[in-house]
Amino acid sequence: MSEWKKCKLVEYSNINMGQSPKSEYYNNEEIGIPFLQGNRTFGIKYPTYDTYCSQPLKFANEGEILFSVRAPVGDINIANRKICIGRGLAALNAKNGKNDFLYFLLHYLKSTIVNNESGSVFGAVNKFTLENIDILLPPLPEQTAIASILSSLDDKIDLLHRQNATLEKMAETLFRQWFVEEAKEEWKIGKLANEFDFTMGASPPGISYNEEGIGIPMYQGNADFGFRFPTNRVFTTDPKRFAEKYDTLISVRAPVGEQNMANEKCCIGRGVAAFRYKIDNSFYTYTYYKMKSLMDDIKQFNETGTVFGSISKSDFENIDIFIPDKISIYKFQNEAKPIDDKINTNTIQIRTLTALRDTLLPKLMSGEVRVEY
């Protein structure tokens, strides 16, 4: 590694700290250019825009790397057009033009930068701190090779995420068509408990928790939820209540109404409820989209409670629903299940590729694993 160069981040990248315009120049009518104050609308790799600014002060150009420098520090996206950046962001641009390598370098440096944050109320990183982060740079051809490997994984992950978003829209549209737009007058009005069995979670004793994978995965609330499946963060050796594979999971406390699907038998804590179709537990696709269609009714319970919102077993039992005929449900299940199963398969593949990328990134960036170029 004698050809690798030790230097400061400022020697490799231009760093442009954001500056917030006066709020009177903000709008959501697309007047001016897109404005980002911080990471609020960051996506997996690129941000979305719902605020614009007619009098921008600081800019990020297309392709520059956006790095959140305030509450929280360390979120990373790529500008996909010229935008205005506020004081919660910095825009970085590699001096050699290789922003693809810089993107992964910042991911590698994130923990180092976060450890340098300051601020009594909330964390923040200033320009001086960013400029003086120590980095180890491989030769330019090796930078290109490293970025190529990591980008190929990132691109595949991004493609699968976009495919999942499209597939979920298809399934939602199908559900709305069958059970809302083409609802039949003869369908009965009933209660949620007439159509679904559900289990309210109960938290095991804290002494049984561990992060070493001992026992069974436990999900306490929406902090564990991902796009479709929860993340195995905490395990318990003394589970009290269970969800079965493919049960629909709903958060019932702070906030109410986040939704996931169990991808294995698991323990559910007091912040989660698990749902399944009464007549046939294998109808998890119908269950998932039926619960999704009821989110307005469920999320209203965020407004109840003296400290934070919550929804009880009796609240769920008393939600009014239309109960379609069995033939319509069977037809929807048969048509939508292949779409939904593809989402599940993609999600598992995303996790595998993400784990591979996250394992490779520090090894490639530190020189522990070398690439031919």
Side-chain angles (χ1 to χ4, degrees), residues 173-219:
T173 299
L174 200 61
F175 184 93
R176 186 168 56 252
Q177 177 186 339
W178 281 52
F179 301 114
V180 179
E181 297 170 3
E182 299 177 6
K184 299 176 182 178
E185 291 183 2
E186 62 267 26
W187 288 352
K188 297 178 181 179
I189 296 178
K191 300 294 185 181
L192 186 65
N194 298 141
E195 196 172 25
F196 299 98
D197 291 320
F198 63 96
T199 302
M200 303 295 289
S203 298
I207 195 172
S208 73
Y209 298 176
N210 69 88
E211 298 180 5
E212 288 74 49
I214 302 170
I216 188 171
M218 186 194 75
Y219 307 125

Side-chain angles (χ1 to χ4, degrees), residues 181-289:
E181 297 170 3
E182 299 177 6
K184 299 176 182 178
E185 291 183 2
E186 62 267 26
W187 288 352
K188 297 178 181 179
I189 296 178
K191 300 294 185 181
L192 186 65
N194 298 141
E195 196 172 25
F196 299 98
D197 291 320
F198 63 96
T199 302
M200 303 295 289
S203 298
I207 195 172
S208 73
Y209 298 176
N210 69 88
E211 298 180 5
E212 288 74 49
I214 302 170
I216 188 171
M218 186 194 75
Y219 307 125
Q220 188 68 278
N222 77 301
D224 299 311
F225 286 5
F227 166 75
R228 171 57 64 97
F229 300 129
T231 300
N232 290 352
R233 184 175 58 89
V234 177
F235 293 76
T236 178
T237 56
D238 189 14
K240 301 302 181 185
R241 303 276 175 82
F242 297 92
E244 300 296 332
K245 186 174 183 178
Y246 297 140
D247 280 357
T248 293
L249 306 177
I250 303 292
S251 65
V252 300
R253 296 162 61 88
V256 175
E258 298 300 320
Q259 184 170 342
N260 252 206
M261 180 183 285
N263 62 344
E264 59 187 320
K265 185 173 182 178
C266 57
C267 169
I268 52 174
R270 65 188 301 218
V272 178
F275 294 78
R276 63 194 70 90
Y277 185 51
K278 273 183 180 293
I279 296 175
D280 189 335
N281 292 350
S282 70
F283 278 33
Y284 52 83
T285 297
Y286 174 70
T287 303
Y288 188 85
Y289 289 98

Side-chain angles (χ1 to χ4, degrees), residues 36 193 367:
L36 292 181

Side-chain angles (χ1 to χ4, degrees), residues 283 285 327-339:
F283 278 33
T285 297
I327 293 176
S328 296
I329 294 172
Y330 290 163
K331 286 182 177 179
F332 170 80
Q333 176 71 16
N334 289 336
E335 190 165 338
K337 183 177 180 294
I339 298 172

